[in-house]
Amino acid sequence: MSTSGKEVPASSLPASNWHTIDWGTSHRRVRGLQVRIAKAAKNQQWRQVKTLQRMLVRSFAAKALAVKRVTENRGRRTPGVDGETWSTPESKWKAVFRLQRTGYKPKPLRRVYIPKANGQRRPLGIPTMLDRAMQALYLLALEPVSETTADRNSYGFRSHRSTADAIEQLFVNLSRKNSAQWVMEGDIKGCFDNISHDWLIANVPMDKAILRKWLKAGYMESGRLNPTEAGTPQGGIISPVLANLALDGLEKVLEARFGQRDTKASYKTKVNYVRYADDFVISGISKELLMNEVRPVVEAFMAERGLTLAAEKTLFTHISEGFDFLGQNVRKYGGKLLIKPAHKNLKAFLVKVKAVIEGNKTAPASLLIDKLNPVIRGWANYHRSVVAKQTFNYVDYRIWKLLWRWCRRRHGNRCKRWIKAKYFKRIGKRNWVFAGLYPSGKLATLLYANDTTIQRHKKIKAQANPYDPQDELYFEERLEYAWRRSDEGKRRTLKLWLAQNKRCPMCKQVITFETGWNIHHIIERHKGGGDELSNLVLLHPNCHRQIHSEAPASAIVQRLTKA
C-alpha cells in the first residue's frame, strides 16, 4: 500500500523471493545496458564500455538473469567440485546475492572427458554453480562487445548464426566460374587449451581481475589440483566468447594484406575467409599464394595468441577434389559447385543408427521407432539445405536393411511374408513403412529421411548485430523464417507463437529456440480446460513455473486471459 492510500502494482514492488522477480523488467534493464555497451564499442569509446559493463554486472536484474540461465540449461544438474546444484527457488534466490565481486574466488574445475569422433577424448572443465553464474553475469556485459567487434564471416558460438550460414558463405565464395580454385583448410592445434593467458588479459574488454582468477583457477583430476598456465576451459559458459575474441581480427588482417572483397586487389588474389569456431577455410587463386603468402600471415596472427596450426589438418586442396567442412563435402563437378553430406558424417550417422537398433533387440517396435526418429530427423534437418536427396534415399535403404535383419532375428521361425505383414505397412503411397503399435493402440511409424524437403538456406547478413536497434526488425524476420522451416514450428505451435506476437505474455520477451517454451493451459485441464487454441499459450519455462508456484496466480492468469 502506498502513502497516498492507493494500491501499488505488484510488478513495481521489489522482489521478495524467486517467484516474485519481474522478469520482463529485468530483461528490459539488461537489454538497455547491452545496447548502450554495443553502441559505445562500435564508436570505440572503451572508457564508456567499461563504465556500462560495471553498471550491468552490479545490477540485480543481471544477477537474476545469470542465475536463471545456469539453472535452466542442460547442465543444471551437473555439479562442480563442491557438489552443489541450485534446484529450489530458495537456493536460486540466495544465489542472486552471492554474485559479488568483492571476496570472490573461483574454485578449480572438475575435469571430465568426452569421446571425440576420431576416437580420442576431449577434456571438459566443469565449474561450480557459483562460478557458472558469475561467468554468465560477466558474459551479459561482454557479449555485446564481442558481437560488435567480431569478424563478419565468423559463425561459431554466436547467437543467430549456424553451420548452415558458414556453408552458404562458402557457396558464395566458390560457386562462380571465376571464383577461387584453391582452398586452405585450417585447423588450430588445441585452440581452447593453448590460448595465451597474457593475451586474453591484455585484450579482452572485461574486468581483468575476474578474468585472471578464472584463467588461473586450475582443475581437479583424480583428487589432485592441476594448475592452468594457458587456455580457456571447454565447459565454461564464457569460454566460447573468449575463444572468438582471440580469433577475431584475422579477416581484417587478410583484407589489409590481400584487399577487401569485391575490390580490384581482392579480384587478383580471391582471398576470402570463413570461420566456424576454430575451423576455417581460406580461398585463393593458387596453391602457391595460399602456401607462401596466406599461411605465413595466419601463422603470425596465431602466434601472437599462443596458437599454432595443426600440420596434419591444415591442407591445400583444389576445388575439383573437394574438401569436408562441418560434416559436408564442398566440391566442383565439371565447373558446378555441389555441397553434399560428407562421407565421414554419413558413416558416423549409420554407425549411430546401427547402435540404436542393436541396443534394442528385444524392445517393441514402437519403442525402437521412438528412439530412431529423433536421430533421423536431426541428421536430415542438418543436411536439408544442401544437395542431399540421393544421400537421403541411400540412408533410408540402409536403415531398412538393418530393420529387416532386426525383424528376422526376432522371428527366425516365421516366413518373410508374415514378418512383412507384422512390421511393414502401406501408408499413403508408400509401401514397406516400418511401424508398431503403442500400448494405447496408436500406430507409430518410422520417419524416412527422404521425406525431408530440401530447402536452400537463407544466409544471415554478415554485418547484422543482435544488439543494434537498427537490426531489430531484421532479426525478428529471421526468427520467424527459422520457425517456419523447423519441425519445432508445427502448425499448432506456430499459430500460437504468431498470435502472441512471438513473445511470452508473462515477461514480454521473444520466445526462441534458445529460451525454449512450454504450452500452458489458461484454464487448467483438471478444472475443465480443453486443448483448443483459445485455451493455450506459449510461455518461457521459468514463466511457466512462476505461474504454477505456490504464490497466488490469479492476476497472472487474468493477464494471460487478456493476452
Side-chain angles (χ1 to χ4, degrees):
M1 185 76 68
S2 67
T3 55
S4 62
K6 295 181 180 180
E7 188 176 346
V8 179
S11 60
S12 64
L13 295 173
S16 58
N17 58 63
W18 181 255
H19 285 307
T20 59
I21 295 174
D22 185 348
W23 294 108
T25 301
S26 298
H27 279 288
R28 285 193 298 273
R29 288 175 177 170
V30 170
R31 182 72 178 182
L33 283 171
Q34 287 179 320
V35 169
R36 292 173 64 188
I37 290 170
K39 182 179 179 181
K42 186 177 182 179
N43 297 329
Q44 297 189 349
Q45 298 171 337
W46 299 113
R47 183 172 294 181
Q48 178 75 352
V49 168
K50 187 176 181 180
T51 301
L52 292 168
Q53 286 181 327
R54 190 184 302 117
M55 289 174 58
L56 193 149
V57 299
R58 291 179 178 180
S59 69
F60 173 84
K63 292 177 181 179
L65 290 178
V67 173
K68 180 173 179 281
R69 173 172 179 173
V70 301
T71 54
E72 289 191 352
N73 60 19
R74 287 186 298 176
R76 63 186 180 275
R77 295 187 181 91
T78 305
V81 293
D82 59 358
E84 184 179 4
T85 58
W86 300 336
S87 56
T88 63
E90 292 76 17
S91 60
K92 296 174 188 178
W93 177 250
K94 291 177 182 177
V96 173
F97 301 97
R98 292 173 61 188
L99 303 184
Q100 300 290 339
R101 183 183 188 276
T102 306
Y104 170 66
K105 184 178 180 181
K107 288 183 168 59
L109 306 169
R110 182 164 69 90
R111 173 63 64 92
V112 297
Y113 293 89
I114 60 173
K116 295 172 65 175
N118 59 7
Q120 298 178 353
R121 296 195 304 164
R122 185 193 306 277
L124 282 184
I126 301 176
T128 64
M129 291 295 291
L130 178 62
D131 294 336
R132 276 179 249 175
M134 284 291 284
Q135 289 187 19
L137 175 63
Y138 279 86
L139 180 59
L140 289 171
L142 181 60
E143 200 165 33
V145 180
S146 69
E147 283 293 329
T148 304
T149 60
D151 286 341
R152 296 191 311 276
N153 289 303
S154 162
Y155 297 97
F157 303 134
R158 295 182 63 188
S159 59
H160 305 285
R161 300 189 179 223
S162 65
T163 55
D165 291 310
I167 292 294
E168 190 63 25
Q169 184 61 38
L170 279 180
F171 184 86
V172 171
N173 292 346
L174 300 169
S175 61
R176 299 182 181 92
K177 288 184 179 180
N178 60 348
S179 296
Q181 298 296 304
W182 286 87
V183 297
M184 172 183 169
E185 306 170 58
D187 186 87
I188 302 166
K189 189 174 183 180
C191 178
F192 279 86
D193 298 329
N194 295 309
I195 300 175
S196 168
H197 284 180
D198 292 338
W199 190 93
L200 287 173
I201 293 168
N203 293 277
V204 173
M206 66 166 288
D207 190 314
K208 310 296 183 185
I210 294 292
L211 178 58
R212 183 180 287 105
K213 288 179 181 180
W214 285 335
L215 296 176
K216 302 296 183 182
Y219 63 92
M220 295 293 294
E221 186 174 15
S222 302
R224 272 182 53 189
L225 175 62
N226 298 274
T228 47
E229 302 300 332
T232 175
Q234 297 186 60
I237 288 177
I238 205 169
S239 296
V241 173
L242 294 178
N244 265 344
L245 285 167
L247 297 176
D248 282 334
L250 180 55
E251 188 169 26
K252 292 178 182 176
V253 170
L254 291 171
E255 287 178 350
R257 174 70 174 80
F258 302 102
Q260 292 188 356
R261 184 178 179 85
D262 297 328
T263 62
K264 190 173 181 180
S266 70
Y267 183 77
K268 291 180 179 179
T269 59
K270 299 176 182 176
V271 172
N272 291 298
Y273 169 81
V274 176
R275 177 170 67 83
Y276 189 92
D278 58 345
D279 294 327
F280 60 88
V281 172
I282 302 175
S283 64
I285 200 167
S286 67
K287 183 177 182 180
E288 290 71 23
L289 173 75
L290 293 173
M291 290 186 68
N292 301 330
E293 297 186 47
V294 173
R295 181 170 181 166
V297 171
V298 175
E299 288 177 336
F301 177 88
M302 296 298 173
E304 290 180 14
R305 292 149 176 79
L307 301 172
T308 57
L309 295 178
E312 69 280 2
K313 294 183 180 179
T314 301
L315 307 172
F316 300 90
T317 311
H318 194 273
I319 193 64
S320 62
E321 297 176 9
F323 63 95
D324 291 349
F325 187 63
L326 302 177
Q328 294 178 343
N329 182 262
V330 183
R331 182 179 175 184
K332 268 190 175 178
Y333 299 81
K336 184 177 180 63
L337 185 74
L338 297 180
I339 303 176
K340 303 178 180 181
H343 178 72
K344 286 183 180 178
N345 182 272
L346 171 62
K347 185 177 179 182
F349 167 70
L350 291 175
V351 167
K352 185 175 183 179
V353 169
K354 184 178 180 181
V356 171
I357 293 173
E358 291 188 347
N360 291 273
K361 291 178 179 177
T362 60
S366 58
L367 178 61
L368 179 59
I369 290 169
D370 284 346
K371 290 182 178 294
L372 284 175
N373 277 353
V375 177
I376 298 169
R377 182 182 294 110
W379 182 84
N381 283 343
Y382 182 84
H383 293 291
R384 68 177 174 176
S385 58
V386 300
V387 184
K389 208 64 177 178
Q390 186 177 358
T391 308
F392 287 171
N393 286 331
Y394 174 72
V395 160
D396 288 340
Y397 166 70
R398 288 292 303 273
I399 293 175
W400 176 85
K401 288 195 71 174
L402 290 169
L403 290 172
W404 180 252
R405 189 168 67 181
W406 179 86
C407 296
R408 292 291 304 276
R409 180 188 175 278
R410 290 166 69 94
H411 305 284
N413 59 341
R414 295 284 190 172
C415 68
K416 295 179 181 179
R417 194 178 298 274
W418 183 93
I419 295 174
K420 194 268 182 189
K422 179 173 176 62
Y423 290 105
F424 296 92
K425 312 297 182 184
R426 183 175 184 85
I427 298 177
K429 295 181 180 180
R430 171 174 279 157
N431 201 0
W432 288 85
V433 176
F434 186 68
L437 288 174
Y438 289 116
S440 63
K442 185 180 177 181
L443 187 69
T445 58
L446 184 72
L447 178 73
Y448 282 80
N450 193 42
D451 290 339
T452 304
T453 305
I454 301 295
Q455 293 177 297
R456 181 80 176 268
H457 178 72
K458 186 190 297 183
K459 193 185 84 68
I460 191 170
K461 291 180 183 177
Q463 298 280 22
N465 184 347
Y467 297 99
D468 189 338
Q470 294 180 352
D471 291 328
E472 186 75 23
L473 180 60
Y474 172 73
F475 279 106
E476 286 191 356
E477 292 172 353
R478 290 284 302 180
L479 185 62
E480 186 169 343
Y481 162 75
W483 275 57
R484 289 187 183 279
R485 293 179 80 237
S486 171
D487 287 336
E488 296 289 342
K490 296 291 186 184
R491 189 180 297 113
R492 195 175 182 87
T493 308
L494 183 60
K495 283 183 179 178
L496 284 174
W497 186 66
L498 293 174
Q500 296 173 198
N501 197 24
K502 311 165 192 173
R503 295 178 181 273
C504 171
M506 285 288 295
C507 65
K508 307 300 182 185
Q509 299 302 304
V510 176
I511 297 174
T512 68
F513 289 130
E514 287 77 16
T515 64
W517 68 87
N518 294 153
I519 296 178
H520 174 71
H521 289 72
I522 299 173
I523 302 175
E524 296 170 0
R525 279 177 288 189
H526 72 271
K527 294 181 180 179
D531 289 333
E532 60 275 7
L533 288 178
S534 60
N535 191 49
L536 299 177
V537 64
L538 293 182
L539 300 173
H540 287 133
N542 192 72
C543 296
H544 196 209
R545 286 194 291 271
Q546 188 171 350
I547 285 182
H548 288 282
S549 67
E550 294 180 358
S554 56
I556 297 173
V557 173
Q558 197 173 28
R559 191 194 318 173
L560 293 181
T561 306
K562 290 179 181 178

